[in-house]
Amino acid sequence: SLADPMEDPRRKALSECLQQLPPEVVEMVELVKIDGMSGNDAAVVFSVALGTVHSRVNRALEKLKACIEGKLQ
């Protein structure tokens, strides 16, 4: 039998930390960092400037990293 993936403390921390971010920012991170969408395309989808996409994604990743590290200590 397969273990529940949410029993993995890293997955649980990631899930909890993602819930602390605005849904639009989570979607932006998913599209750019996971799905490989270009920053330019994401800027069009979200109707924001390219620099805004970069800053939101980078800020979200920094917050996720700090949140996850805090939960795993």
Side-chain angles (χ1 to χ4, degrees):
S1 73
L2 294 173
D4 180 355
M6 289 311 292
E7 289 180 17
D8 180 340
R10 295 167 301 177
R11 286 183 184 270
K12 187 171 186 287
L14 175 60
S15 177
E16 290 172 359
C17 292
L18 280 170
Q19 291 174 22
Q20 296 176 15
L21 296 173
E24 182 179 83
V25 173
V26 173
E27 187 177 0
M28 197 178 283
V29 170
E30 288 175 350
L31 288 173
V32 174
K33 292 298 184 183
I34 298 171
D35 296 341
M37 179 181 279
S38 73
N40 284 324
D41 287 346
V44 171
V45 168
F46 292 97
S47 302
V48 297
L50 176 59
T52 302
V53 171
H54 289 304
S55 64
R56 287 184 185 169
V57 168
N58 289 333
R59 214 171 316 135
L61 293 175
E62 288 171 9
K63 286 181 181 178
L64 281 174
K65 182 176 185 233
C67 179
I68 292 167
E69 287 174 350
K71 289 183 179 292
L72 295 180
Q73 287 181 357

